[in-house]
Amino acid sequence: MIKVAVSACLLGDKVRFDKGHKRDSFVVEELGKYAEFVSFCPENIAFSSPRPSIRMVRTEDNSLRIISNKTAEDLTQVLDEHARAELQKIKSQNIRGLILKSKSPTCGLMSSKVYLENGFADGKDDGVFASMCRAEFGYFPMEEEGRLCDAWLRENFVMQLFAYDDFEEFKEDAKMGKLVEFHKSYKFLLQSKDEKTYRELGQIVGNHEQKSFDEILLEYEALFKMAISQKSSVSKTRNVLEHMSGFIKNFLDSSEKQMLHAQIDDYVAKIVPLVVPLSTLRLYATKYKVSYLLEQKFLDPYPKELALRSEIKSTK
Ligand code: SF4
């Protein structure tokens, strides 16, 4: 099970200001089959539940304050302290991802409304806890539940989450030979994210400067985590599919080749989802025992039951 930290209200805990929750069915019912959740709620720990709602206010000196909607009391310091404690808690849990509640002045990721002291709206920003997480975690699988309603963002997030976890597991017993194998197995997944970075990672693995393995691993980790945080696109995925086809083309007759290319074209035209050409590629790779393709993480980046590539909208 992958450990994922999640805003407690998304898990159905009654921790909101009105003692309600915002249970998210994708997180709880679908991702929950593969994840162990670590919940957090800085507001509930700081102010208990129910409590007066709060808002984020930008002051004249451009600082962001947390103000009670009921009493106008400045609660910034109290919330800040409890947010830091919750951050330490999730950090100690070896988490591999983070899902935050959107629009909250505490948990929102660039979706928390900011007000001026005169009550006028002043755009959006990270909530108090979200901004601490952003500073702490860097290239980390981190999303809001609201954005995860978008099939493309959801697929990208879940792919990043499982790849991140895979790297952390690999790191436990990493050796040079294993890094070469790891990199090979991520070739097409990395190319679907960022071709240039894939090549740079190849240079690191090539180790022409004869660096120590620890140094290489550190460099590889930083760049790998950056690469998997990038979003895929139709054109990058098309290149990957064409490239994969190249490994089986010599086994196929012209009608089989035509059908595969028609499926790739239909995928690009958003007539069929990605799972269609991928299933055909897998079929031929299995039939003709093309192990290089069958070992590619791009074919199975996460449990197939999540069926995230079965939606046409999972591509942009
Ligand atoms: S959004 Fe964050 S702070 Fe607000 S109730 Fe949910 S977990 Fe707690």
Side-chain angles (χ1 to χ4, degrees):
M1 292 285 227
I2 299 182
K3 272 196 182 178
V4 181
V6 183
S7 292
C9 55
L10 295 175
L11 297 176
D13 296 355
K14 293 179 178 171
V15 289
R16 279 170 55 88
F17 70 97
D18 57 0
K19 219 170 184 340
H21 63 77
K22 285 281 177 184
R23 187 176 186 277
D24 185 277
S25 59
F26 167 71
V27 173
V28 177
E29 284 151 37
E30 297 184 51
L31 201 56
K33 289 178 193 150
Y34 312 99
E36 178 187 338
F37 297 130
V38 178
S39 70
F40 56 84
C41 180
E43 284 185 38
N44 187 45
I45 305 235
F47 312 120
S48 76
S49 183
R51 57 185 175 271
S53 61
I54 53 176
R55 67 183 187 281
M56 200 151 52
V57 174
R58 193 181 307 283
T59 57
E60 276 184 3
D61 65 359
N62 208 27
S63 70
L64 287 171
R65 311 298 298 175
I66 292 292
I67 305 295
S68 164
N69 280 327
K70 188 175 176 192
T71 63
E73 191 184 347
D74 187 330
L75 302 170
T76 312
Q77 197 182 338
V78 187
L79 185 58
D80 209 76
E81 278 165 20
H82 288 87
R84 271 181 212 292
E86 287 290 75
L87 180 64
Q88 290 310 317
K89 182 183 92 181
I90 64 169
K91 259 178 69 184
S92 70
Q93 293 282 322
N94 211 9
I95 56 165
R96 305 291 162 84
L98 185 55
I99 301 176
L100 294 142
K101 171 73 187 76
S102 58
K103 298 179 186 165
S104 144
T106 302
C107 291
L109 268 178
M110 285 312 284
S111 66
S112 314
K113 277 189 186 161
V114 179
Y115 296 89
L116 296 172
E117 285 171 290
N118 61 14
F120 287 176
D122 187 38
K124 291 176 182 169
D125 211 319
D126 284 336
V128 173
F129 183 70
S131 106
M132 288 178 189
C133 290
R134 204 189 280 283
E136 180 67 40
F137 291 115
Y139 291 118
F140 191 71
M142 187 161 37
E143 264 299 358
E144 288 184 333
E145 98 296 351
R147 282 166 53 89
L148 291 178
C149 294
D150 178 308
W152 177 66
L153 292 173
R154 181 182 290 194
E155 211 261 336
N156 275 280
F157 171 73
V158 172
M159 192 188 279
Q160 182 192 4
L161 178 65
F162 278 83
Y164 190 99
D165 180 60
D166 204 22
F167 185 83
E168 291 295 323
E169 293 293 313
F170 158 76
K171 221 170 56 173
E172 298 283 300
D173 185 30
K175 295 185 179 64
M176 195 62 218
K178 286 188 177 178
L179 180 61
V180 173
E181 287 303 309
F182 181 90
H183 182 63
K184 215 165 91 180
S185 71
Y186 270 93
K187 174 188 168 89
F188 292 119
L189 190 148
L190 289 167
Q191 285 184 328
S192 78
K193 299 281 184 184
D194 186 347
E195 168 81 36
K196 185 169 162 280
T197 309
Y198 163 70
R199 290 184 192 286
E200 287 169 14
L201 285 163
Q203 297 284 326
I204 295 173
V205 175
N207 193 19
H208 302 301
E209 292 163 37
Q210 305 287 307
K211 294 179 181 170
S212 72
F213 180 63
D214 287 351
E215 221 177 323
I216 289 175
L217 190 62
L218 271 179
E219 284 180 24
Y220 190 91
E221 175 173 5
L223 209 54
F224 178 82
K225 288 180 176 175
M226 189 278 280
I228 60 172
S229 74
Q230 308 299 303
K231 307 282 185 274
S232 59
S233 70
V234 177
S235 61
K236 286 187 275 188
T237 306
R238 178 191 201 132
N239 287 343
V240 165
L241 294 171
E242 299 285 4
H243 200 157
M244 291 176 93
S245 310
F247 284 82
I248 48 172
K249 68 176 184 206
N250 292 337
F251 299 108
L252 307 185
D253 64 28
S254 63
S255 65
E256 287 170 328
K257 275 186 212 159
Q258 254 177 21
M259 190 196 70
L260 178 56
H261 287 293
Q263 286 184 348
I264 296 174
D265 288 344
D266 284 351
Y267 157 72
V268 174
K270 296 195 168 67
I271 297 167
V272 299
L274 179 57
V275 71
V276 172
L278 277 181
S279 298
T280 305
L281 279 165
R282 185 199 303 277
L283 172 75
Y284 291 138
T286 307
K287 184 173 176 188
Y288 298 111
K289 301 185 175 53
V290 186
S291 53
Y292 186 75
L293 283 191
L294 293 172
E295 284 159 13
Q296 287 298 319
K297 294 285 179 182
F298 187 70
L299 279 183
D300 295 295
Y302 42 75
K304 66 178 180 185
E305 290 77 8
L306 286 168
L308 302 176
R309 290 158 153 187
S310 303
E311 280 198 47
I312 286 174
K313 287 183 180 162
S314 68
T315 292
K316 271 189 195 167

